[in-house]
């Protein structure tokens, strides 16, 4: 179709081909990461075995003697894989949105106090000896309350609204972090404290399909609206005055972005614990791969975040005989990579 180079038609065909390749990568990369994750571990599951198990589950073929593999695939690995991809996608997407909204490359999902609020809620739930569902629910709602407190405090700051929101988020996060430290100090050192410490380091070791269902609903409620308005993030990243001059209702869209990003962050942290660096580093990686346009940057952040956290979780399972907390691995990987990005940006690396 594109025979003559240099023509507008040829250029449009090249762009369409590039978009098709991006869409293909958005499907191929997660599927490849999922197949790899099933194959890793103490009980490796080959793609053929996985296909036979799925066919047997759908009653397309007779079920074989796969009791152990069936348990490994559908009760252990599948919930963990789905949770890792949902949580990684949520943290990365919310980080990308915060970075554009606040025009700050260091913005992350923890900026407005959501992560600190969830950490306090989970710690409080553990101290009260609540069940897992109760701990997750308490972490989720206190996380939302922490962001609500941030918005309330920022309204009292009469200077720049964006700066006021960031400062209020720092204060709220410090407040809930201090409250969490107090609960750790008074917690039973033989029973509650180890559980609190392990939860705060982040893990997907006890994820079930009910946990996946718990996190999936708010994640989709948050990610879908952000996907639909992703092009407006390009306008918001220009600044309030420029966005207003272009006819955008700045406060309405800022509120929508904050609510949706907070919703997915709160849901993710309430299930997985504190997993840092995903929402800070992965949007920068996506920006290098596809550019700053949120039409491509937002879906790329979702895919890259999901694949990244899934691969990190695979490492957590197989590196040692004892599972490594996710927060430890994401920091060990994220810090050197972020340093690399900083040096690359300043031209120290060629």
């Amino acid at each position: 179709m594109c025979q003559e180079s240099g023509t507008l038609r040829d250029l449009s065909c090249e762009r369409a081909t590039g978009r098709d390749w991006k869409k293909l990568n958005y499907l191929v990369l997660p599927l490849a990461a999922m197949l790899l994750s099933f194959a890793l571990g103490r009980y490796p599951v080959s793609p053929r075995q996985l296909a036979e198990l799925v066919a047997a589950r759908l009653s397309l073929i007779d079920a074989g003697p796969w009791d152990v593999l069936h348990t490994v695939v559908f009760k252990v690995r599948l919930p963990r894989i789905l949770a890792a991809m949902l949580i990684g996608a949520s943290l990365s997407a919310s980080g990308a949105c915060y970075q554009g909204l606040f025009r700050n490359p260091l913005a992350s999902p923890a900026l407005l106090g959501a992560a600190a609020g969830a950490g306090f809620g989970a710690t409080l739930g553990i101290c009260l000896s609540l069940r897992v569902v109760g701990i997750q629910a308490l972490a989720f709602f206190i996380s939302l309350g922490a962001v609500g407190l941030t918005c309330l405090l920022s309204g009292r700051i009469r200077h720049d609204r964006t700066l006021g929101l960031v400062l209020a988020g720092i204060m709220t996060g410090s407040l809930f972090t201090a409250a969490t430290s107090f609960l750790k100090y008074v917690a039973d050192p033989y029973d509650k404290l180890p559980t609190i410490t392990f939860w705060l380091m982040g893990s997907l070791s006890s994820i079930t399909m009910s946990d996946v269902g718990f996190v999936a609903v708010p994640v989709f409620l948050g990610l879908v609206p952000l996907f639909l308005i992703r092009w407006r993030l390009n306008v918001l990243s220009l600044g309030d005055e420029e966005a207003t001059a272009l006819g955008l209702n700045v406060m309405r869209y800022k509120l929508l972005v904050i609510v949706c990003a907070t919703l997915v962050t709160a849901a993710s942290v309430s299930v997985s614990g504190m997993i840092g660096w995903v929402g800070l580093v992965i949007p920068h990686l996506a920006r290098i791969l596809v550019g700053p346009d949120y039409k491509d940057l937002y879906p790329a952040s979702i895919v890259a975040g999901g694949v990244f956290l899934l691969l990190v979780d695979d490492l957590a399972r197989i590196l040692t005989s004892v599972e490594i907390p996710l927060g430890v691995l994401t920091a060990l990987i994220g810090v050197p990579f972020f340093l690399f990005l900083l040096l690359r940006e300043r031209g120290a690396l060629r």
Side-chain angles (χ1 to χ4, degrees):
M1 295 293 293
C2 301
Q3 299 280 330
E4 301 174 5
S5 60
T7 64
L8 290 176
R9 185 177 180 181
D10 184 37
L11 182 60
S12 64
C13 287
E14 290 180 1
R15 290 178 177 174
T17 303
R19 286 194 296 269
D20 291 340
W21 274 108
K22 289 177 183 177
K23 293 178 181 178
L24 183 61
N25 289 331
Y26 293 158
L27 294 175
V28 171
L29 291 178
L31 289 176
M34 290 178 69
L35 291 176
L36 177 64
S37 299
F38 279 114
L40 295 176
R42 185 172 298 178
Y43 295 99
V45 181
S46 67
R48 179 179 177 179
Q49 289 176 316
L50 181 61
E52 291 176 349
L53 283 169
V54 173
R57 186 68 179 262
L58 297 175
S59 300
L60 299 178
I61 62 174
D62 293 334
W66 298 325
D67 291 341
V68 174
L69 283 180
H70 186 279
T71 301
V72 168
V73 169
F74 293 108
K75 294 187 178 181
V76 179
R77 297 221 178 129
L78 181 61
R80 192 160 180 163
I81 288 171
L82 295 177
M85 299 199 74
L86 282 173
I87 292 167
S90 300
L91 295 176
S92 178
S94 60
C97 292
Y98 279 139
Q99 289 170 10
L101 182 66
F102 296 109
R103 290 174 290 158
N104 187 343
L106 297 179
S108 69
L111 183 65
L112 301 184
F120 171 74
T123 303
L124 180 61
I126 294 171
C127 289
L128 295 176
S129 300
L130 299 180
R131 294 184 178 182
V132 175
V133 175
I135 293 172
Q136 293 173 351
L138 196 59
F140 177 72
F141 288 111
I142 291 183
S143 178
L144 295 180
V147 177
L149 179 60
T150 297
C151 295
L152 181 63
L153 292 175
S154 68
R156 301 294 181 179
I157 300 175
R158 300 300 181 184
H159 300 288
D160 182 78
R161 291 182 177 179
T162 301
L163 178 61
L165 197 62
V166 173
L167 293 176
I170 294 173
M171 290 187 289
T172 302
S174 299
L175 177 65
F176 279 99
T177 300
T180 301
S181 298
F182 173 76
L183 290 179
K184 290 172 65 179
Y185 179 75
V186 300
D188 183 355
Y190 300 104
D191 181 23
K192 303 288 194 273
L193 185 58
T195 304
I196 293 171
T197 303
F198 187 73
W199 189 92
L200 290 176
M201 289 191 293
S203 175
L204 298 176
S205 60
S206 58
I207 288 291
T208 63
M209 286 304 295
S210 62
D211 296 327
V212 175
F214 177 85
V215 73
V217 175
V219 163
F220 281 109
L221 289 177
L223 292 184
V224 171
L226 290 174
F227 179 83
L228 296 176
I229 66 164
R230 66 192 187 281
W231 68 270
R232 291 176 175 83
L233 286 167
N234 292 324
V235 183
L236 289 174
S237 63
L238 299 175
D240 293 354
E241 294 182 359
E242 289 81 357
T244 303
L246 292 172
L248 202 67
N249 189 326
V250 174
M251 292 308 300
R252 177 187 300 173
Y253 282 105
K254 273 190 173 184
L255 180 62
L256 179 60
V257 171
I258 290 172
V259 168
C260 292
T262 299
L263 185 65
V264 300
T265 300
S268 300
V269 176
S270 66
V271 171
S272 65
M274 311 288 277
I275 301 176
W277 292 95
V278 178
L280 177 61
V281 174
I282 300 304
H284 287 284
L285 174 63
R287 198 172 282 110
I288 291 175
L289 295 175
V290 301
D293 187 354
Y294 274 88
K295 185 177 180 181
D296 295 321
L297 176 60
Y298 181 77
S301 297
I302 290 177
V303 173
V307 171
F308 172 77
L309 190 59
L310 179 56
L311 296 179
V312 170
D313 186 55
D314 292 338
L315 290 177
R317 291 191 291 113
I318 66 175
L319 278 181
T320 62
S321 58
V322 179
E323 185 167 319
I324 303 173
L326 287 178
V328 175
L329 279 179
T330 53
L332 290 175
I333 297 172
V335 172
F337 184 73
F338 195 65
L339 178 61
F340 167 78
L341 292 178
L342 291 177
L343 294 175
R344 182 180 181 275
E345 190 71 21
R346 287 184 171 272
L349 296 176
R350 297 295 183 183

